[in-house]
Amino acid sequence: MTIRLENTQGVDALTEFVQFADQVYAYRGAAWPASVDFQLPLLTGESPYSEGRRRHPLLARQGDQMVARAVVVVDERYNRHWQERLGHLIMFEALPEPGAATSLLLDAACDWLAAPSSTPRR
């Protein structure tokens, strides 16, 4: 089955994105549910944490099933302070089997970071 990548936007899609962690860790005997109330504002840019950070949530689907996710982040304050040009990958989760999906997801994250619009400003 074909794997497709999506740039996740909108409250409903981002809520599904956050809740994917529950599916990934459902096998654990002790787990806590994904914190939609905390993580959704981070992803929508409404959290104070989002100030000075650009985010790019990506997910991979195989058919209709989400199989991997990650958020690519450029923290412009960090880069300016440390005179760096780097980005971060956060909220990375994947189901056990879809290795091809994770490869596509990571490649897309690297492409986004390498794009001129993602290059940290000095």
Side-chain angles (χ1 to χ4, degrees):
M1 194 172 289
T2 304
I3 298 167
R4 73 179 189 282
L5 296 179
E6 298 176 9
N7 177 10
T8 308
Q9 297 179 16
V11 172
D12 291 341
L14 289 170
T15 299
E16 178 192 21
F17 183 92
V18 169
Q19 292 172 333
F20 177 66
D22 294 338
Q23 182 181 350
V24 171
Y25 300 115
Y27 72 92
R28 291 184 174 177
W32 51 92
S35 179
V36 175
D37 291 341
F38 176 73
Q39 292 178 343
L40 191 57
L42 295 174
L43 297 173
T44 60
E46 297 170 11
S47 167
Y49 172 83
S50 300
E51 186 178 329
R53 294 178 175 96
R54 287 179 288 126
R55 300 148 319 283
H56 185 63
L58 291 168
L59 65 87
R61 289 191 191 274
Q62 196 165 24
D64 290 336
Q65 182 183 15
M66 189 184 310
V67 294
R69 73 166 190 182
V71 179
V72 192
V73 177
V74 172
D75 185 333
E76 293 178 353
R77 294 177 301 172
Y78 176 93
N79 285 335
R80 198 170 32 256
H81 177 80
W82 294 106
Q83 312 252 335
E84 294 281 353
R85 292 189 62 213
L86 58 89
H88 307 275
L89 195 64
I90 63 171
M91 297 177 72
F92 175 75
E93 267 101 19
L95 294 177
E97 296 300 318
T102 57
S103 293
L104 285 171
L105 191 73
L106 293 175
D107 287 345
C110 290
D111 290 346
W112 186 81
L113 287 170
S117 63
S118 296
T119 303
R121 298 176 188 100
R122 296 211 183 241

